[in-house]
Amino acid sequence: MINLNITKIQIEYLLFIKNYEGRKTITEASLFFNCSRANSKKILDKMILTGILYKEDNEYKLTKIGCDLSKFYNEKLEKNLFVVQKFLDIDDILARSISLEILSKRLIPYQEAMEKRYKSMILAKDIQGRERVQDISEYLDEGRHKINFSIKKIDEESKRSFVDNSMALMGFDDHAYLIIGEESYIELSTKTIKKAHHGYFKKAIATKLFYFDDGQEIEINSKDRIFKIPLDLIDYWSTSDGIILEASLILKIKSQMGITIHAKKANFLFIVNLCLT
């Protein structure tokens, strides 16, 4: 994109020339923006000097550079508006003003963040509430996505309304990663924990993970304390709002504490927020 020193008000006039269905004259511009003819003329004539517009039969028209810029800003503004309104729940006028401000100030990190959020959100917007999502990779770019996860106990009293976290949760890093690629998987990293035992502390670490297939235990690939859980082990992701997706797997954990090996099943719960990945 050509790097012109274009202001917020010039972007608005540029989009007026691009999108307005009537005649693009000084009079029409002043009425549209509710300002004086002299002010509109000053803005439009300056845009002629910068090579964005030209004038023909009292109408302002886009040059080749102006056409490219108007297409660029139309697309960016649409994306910004979608994200700003979704997250902030504000009226159209304020959302448009904030979106134009980001574009005109060339706030590159903000714009890049907008682009990323828009891409995830626009893909996810067609997911209906309470729908099962079979293939989550349809809604995410290839690459590495940080996601949330928890590990819940399996054996709980039926009268209780809340399922406690498993102590195994302490043995893994706070976040999991969803890797989308030729081979997609969920990545979990272990960490050493200390546990009081008979008056002193013992170190413990998860050494193996297993999933179950037709009653058989199958070890999950691991290397350098990182477990790679194949994504196709998950039959589907459930959602109630089309944005937050959840799935769980019953896995067996083998941990080593000193010379002792502990083995226990737990429910691994994975949570993906499509707006934040």
Side-chain angles (χ1 to χ4, degrees):
M1 177 51 58
I2 299 170
N3 186 20
L4 294 175
N5 187 23
I6 188 168
T7 65
K8 179 181 176 181
I9 191 63
Q10 287 176 333
I11 294 174
E12 292 189 83
Y13 271 78
L14 177 68
L15 297 181
F16 165 76
I17 301 298
K18 170 70 174 176
N19 302 323
Y20 186 64
E21 295 183 355
R23 287 172 55 80
K24 284 82 168 178
T25 63
I26 294 172
T27 300
E28 292 296 322
S30 64
L31 290 172
F32 185 86
F33 290 105
N34 193 27
C35 65
S36 68
R37 292 183 78 259
N39 192 48
S40 284
K41 184 177 187 304
K42 180 180 178 181
I43 295 168
L44 290 165
D45 286 349
K46 187 173 183 180
M47 293 171 72
I48 288 177
L49 294 177
T50 57
I52 298 172
L53 304 178
Y54 69 95
K55 195 173 182 181
E56 183 178 273
D57 297 331
N58 291 323
E59 281 200 74
Y60 291 86
K61 299 183 179 181
L62 297 169
T63 63
K64 176 63 169 62
I65 294 174
C67 284
D68 291 343
L69 280 173
S70 64
K71 181 180 178 182
F72 172 82
Y73 284 116
N74 256 338
E75 291 176 354
K76 296 294 184 184
L77 181 59
E78 178 185 352
K79 293 176 181 179
N80 288 4
L81 278 171
F82 182 82
V83 176
V84 168
Q85 288 177 312
K86 195 80 171 177
F87 274 107
L88 301 183
D89 191 25
I90 55 179
D91 63 67
D92 293 349
I93 295 175
L94 181 56
R96 182 180 177 85
S97 178
I98 293 172
S99 300
L100 285 168
E101 195 71 34
I102 292 172
L103 287 175
S104 64
K105 298 299 184 184
R106 293 175 179 78
L107 303 174
I108 304 301
Y110 290 93
Q111 189 59 53
E112 289 176 347
M114 288 282 192
E115 291 279 340
K116 183 177 179 181
R117 295 292 173 259
Y118 175 82
K119 193 163 187 179
S120 296
M121 292 168 67
I122 203 68
L123 285 172
K125 75 181 182 67
D126 293 329
I127 300 176
Q128 301 301 311
R130 304 190 183 282
E131 181 176 320
R132 291 185 176 189
V133 176
Q134 301 296 137
D135 184 5
I136 198 173
S137 64
E138 295 179 15
Y139 305 101
L140 297 171
D141 287 334
E142 288 193 0
R144 183 180 177 87
H145 305 274
K146 182 187 287 187
I147 64 173
N148 293 316
F149 87 105
S150 185
I151 305 176
K152 299 291 185 180
K153 292 181 178 179
I154 293 177
D155 298 324
E156 287 290 331
E157 295 178 17
S158 60
K159 293 181 180 180
R160 297 183 62 181
S161 60
F162 184 79
V163 179
D164 287 332
N165 287 337
S166 167
M167 285 191 64
L169 187 61
M170 299 169 59
F172 291 87
D173 286 344
D174 292 341
H175 292 90
Y177 289 90
L178 183 56
I179 313 299
I180 303 297
E182 187 174 338
E183 293 184 6
S184 297
Y185 55 90
I186 294 172
E187 180 182 287
L188 297 180
S189 298
T190 63
K191 61 184 180 183
T192 302
I193 61 174
K194 292 182 179 180
K195 186 176 181 180
H197 185 75
H198 298 306
Y200 62 95
F201 286 98
K202 278 190 173 182
K203 292 182 178 180
I205 188 168
T207 56
K208 293 181 183 294
L209 277 182
F210 301 85
Y211 68 93
F212 302 93
D213 186 13
D214 291 332
Q216 299 294 314
E217 292 182 7
I218 301 176
E219 187 174 348
I220 289 171
N221 183 35
S222 65
K223 184 179 180 182
D224 298 327
R225 298 187 176 185
I226 294 175
F227 293 100
K228 296 181 178 180
I229 304 171
L231 194 58
D232 58 14
L233 290 183
I234 295 176
D235 295 329
Y236 68 88
W237 299 76
S238 64
T239 178
S240 60
D241 60 4
I243 297 296
I244 308 297
L245 308 184
E246 295 183 346
S248 66
L249 287 171
I250 303 297
L251 301 176
K252 184 175 182 178
I253 311 167
K254 282 191 176 180
S255 302
Q256 184 158 354
M257 186 172 69
I259 61 172
T260 306
I261 300 295
H262 293 274
K264 196 165 187 179
K265 293 180 183 178
N267 189 359
F268 284 67
L269 177 65
F270 302 103
I271 304 166
V272 176
N273 184 335
L274 291 176
C275 290
L276 300 179
T277 52

